[in-house]
Amino acid sequence: MVNGYDGSRAAELPPATRELIARRERALGGAYRLFYDQPVSFVMGAGVYLYDADGNAYLDAYNNVPSVGHSHPHVTETVAKQLGTLNTHTRYLTDGLVAYAERLLATHTVGADGSGGSVAQAMFTCTGSEANDLALRIARHYTGATGVVVTANAYHGVTAALAELSPSLGPGVPLGSHVRVVPAPAPGVNFTAAVAWAISDLERHGLRLAAFLADSLFSSDGVLPDPAGFLAPVTEIVHAAGGLYIADEVQSGFGRTGTHMWGYQRHGIAPDIVTMGKPMGNGLPIAGLVARPDVTESFGRQARYFNTFGGNPVCVAAASAVLDVLETEGLPANAAATGAYLKDAATRLADLSPVLGDIRGAGLYLGIDVIAPGTPGDPSGKLAAAIVNGMRDRRVLISATGPQGNVLKVRPPLPFAREHADQFLTALQETIEAVH
Ligand code: PMP
């Protein structure tokens, strides 16, 4: 695993940390992974900082779930008040759920005419995986087809249906026979042609396309946002094949890209279904999808949908408080401004460093290629891991992504300001000087 603790530096850990790791392994088994050579334990979070038991502050340049900031007071108060008042489920009429759905829909531009808002519909789940799983069920129902096209290192979730179309889980998790994988949209790849080929390959095997499913920022493929607009021709060939375009906005949604509320809007496309999660409730389990009403119509008639916790009043209160904070604190605009500042400064650093290569990003989501010094500067997952751990030693949290684990993943909470960017850049400069 990229940035996974493997125990090789266990002897350097404080005895209390070693003991907790041992208890965790005994109690939880082998499937869980910890970050960093030297795992870190937190007791508190506030804004863009996490704190350990000794009161040391770690700059969070990694976590997108607490996207309006750790333990944001408005979210905390709104959730506490709702929890102390009423928490039921979607089989009773509650105003909050409907009001939130209306507010969320107004931010979207889905469907053929891109008019979103008044015409689209929302459904709620607890996790991004459940949202993608439901989107797939709806797409299969609508198209009568089963085929799905995803990118080479995609990750879409934990359910059985999603694990078999998440190639980033590795060779130990087989892909389904109805799944086709296309190269990630990196420079030099004709992405539209690759999707067209994948669709025709499905058809040669007697399958039809139900959906093209893609993260609008291609995060696990190494963060590939540009050029904005390259997804437009893909939607056309997906529709021509009778399939639906599902935009996975679990990573790219809720203002992260700065210029737009949703990653797909950077591409000027109008997906048929959009799935959302992670930052939606700033840490409370709320996720969901929005879709064209004609897409959900027959599914809605024929399949009953109830998700016990999905869209409960407490989670909806959190989600609605998140929208409040995004607006009142102008966080998407901050993501655009700080993101541009960070990308420029990191690019200047990379120009002078033999170990930093291409830097890509949109808003507060950056991917920084790490390369071995020399020509041509091959991707180096090993050096990336050293940088990730060196940053952690300097109390700045990042991780790595991409098929070779060689892309630094920088994805802070959205209140990340210029002073935090400067702190990050100082630590990065010190770290790259120390690792080679
Ligand atoms: N889609 C994408 C693009 C993701 O990054 C993730 C989570 N990393 C998911 C779906 C699944 O979300 P969850 O972990 O909430 O089930």
Side-chain angles (χ1 to χ4, degrees):
M1 167 194 164
V2 174
N3 184 21
Y5 168 72
D6 63 6
S8 59
R9 286 178 63 194
E12 297 166 43
L13 293 170
T17 310
R18 265 204 320 260
E19 169 60 15
L20 187 57
I21 292 172
R23 276 175 52 213
R24 181 177 140 119
E25 281 169 4
R26 271 197 302 278
L28 305 184
Y32 284 87
R33 302 288 185 274
L34 284 164
F35 274 163
Y36 302 117
D37 284 352
Q38 301 217 285
V40 54
S41 175
F42 293 120
V43 295
M44 203 184 97
V48 297
Y49 289 96
L50 286 164
Y51 298 85
D52 68 16
D54 297 324
N56 295 310
Y58 287 68
L59 178 67
D60 187 355
Y62 175 74
N63 287 293
N64 61 338
V65 170
S67 72
V68 302
H70 289 277
S71 307
H72 193 287
H74 178 59
V75 180
T76 307
E77 281 155 25
T78 309
V79 166
K81 189 159 165 257
Q82 186 62 49
L83 191 58
T85 308
L86 175 76
N87 197 19
T88 56
H89 52 76
T90 51
R91 280 181 169 146
Y92 299 115
L93 260 179
T94 48
D95 182 69
L97 174 72
V98 180
Y100 177 70
E102 289 168 346
R103 198 171 165 196
L104 181 68
L105 288 167
T107 66
H108 277 285
T109 39
V110 305
D113 64 356
S115 55
S118 57
V119 297
Q121 290 173 340
M123 293 171 83
F124 295 99
T125 63
C126 305
T127 67
S129 300
E130 284 183 335
N132 280 333
D133 200 273
L134 181 61
L136 265 187
R137 284 178 65 202
I138 292 172
R140 288 182 173 150
H141 200 276
Y142 180 79
T143 59
T146 54
V148 183
V149 175
V150 294
T151 51
N153 205 47
Y155 178 76
H156 293 292
V158 296
T159 68
L162 294 170
E164 65 179 10
L165 49 80
S166 290
S168 70
L169 291 173
V173 181
L175 297 176
S177 56
H178 59 286
V179 177
R180 293 296 179 277
V181 168
V182 292
V189 171
N190 185 336
F191 192 60
T192 312
V195 175
W197 190 88
I199 294 170
S200 67
D201 191 57
L202 280 170
E203 288 167 356
R204 264 201 300 278
H205 289 83
L207 298 167
R208 283 184 302 111
L209 181 70
F212 171 79
L213 172 60
D215 169 347
S216 304
L217 274 178
F218 299 92
S219 318
S220 55
D221 282 298
V223 189
L224 301 162
D226 292 320
F230 76 77
L231 288 173
V234 177
T235 59
E236 283 165 28
I237 59 166
V238 165
H239 289 151
L244 295 183
Y245 188 108
I246 305 175
D248 181 334
E249 291 282 336
V250 169
Q251 294 279 343
S252 51
F254 290 99
R256 175 142 305 265
T257 62
T259 50
H260 295 83
M261 183 70 163
W262 305 104
Y264 70 82
Q265 291 167 336
R266 285 184 68 249
H267 287 278
I269 60 170
D272 305 295
I273 305 180
V274 180
T275 58
M276 297 154 282
K278 284 187 185 281
M280 193 165 174
N282 215 49
L284 268 84
I286 180 160
L289 62 80
V290 305
R292 278 164 40 198
D294 63 301
V295 165
T296 52
E297 196 272 332
S298 88
F299 181 84
R301 249 187 306 111
Q302 291 175 32
R304 177 168 55 82
Y305 178 70
F306 177 62
N307 186 324
T308 303
F309 301 120
N312 75 49
V314 167
C315 290
V316 165
S320 153
V322 166
L323 291 185
D324 295 342
V325 179
L326 285 173
E327 278 169 33
T328 55
E329 295 185 12
L331 293 182
N334 180 65
T338 311
Y341 173 77
L342 193 60
K343 193 171 155 195
D344 281 357
T347 304
R348 281 198 299 277
L349 205 59
D351 287 344
L352 301 173
S353 166
V355 298
L356 298 186
D358 190 34
I359 298 188
R360 299 167 298 278
L364 278 172
Y365 209 134
L366 251 64
I368 303 176
D369 284 354
V370 177
I371 50 178
T375 316
D378 291 330
S380 176
K382 208 170 144 221
L383 263 179
I387 294 173
V388 166
N389 282 293
M391 294 290 278
R392 176 249 176 271
D393 293 343
R394 290 169 181 80
R395 300 199 183 115
V396 176
L397 307 173
I398 59 167
S399 191
T401 187
Q404 301 176 72
N406 68 306
V407 183
L408 302 180
K409 179 172 169 184
V410 182
R411 189 192 53 179
L414 300 185
F416 208 74
R418 206 170 257 239
E419 77 210 66
H420 307 120
D422 288 337
Q423 185 184 344
F424 167 87
L425 291 160
T426 304
L428 183 61
Q429 181 157 16
E430 282 175 24
T431 306
I432 55 178
E433 280 165 11
V435 295
H436 76 96

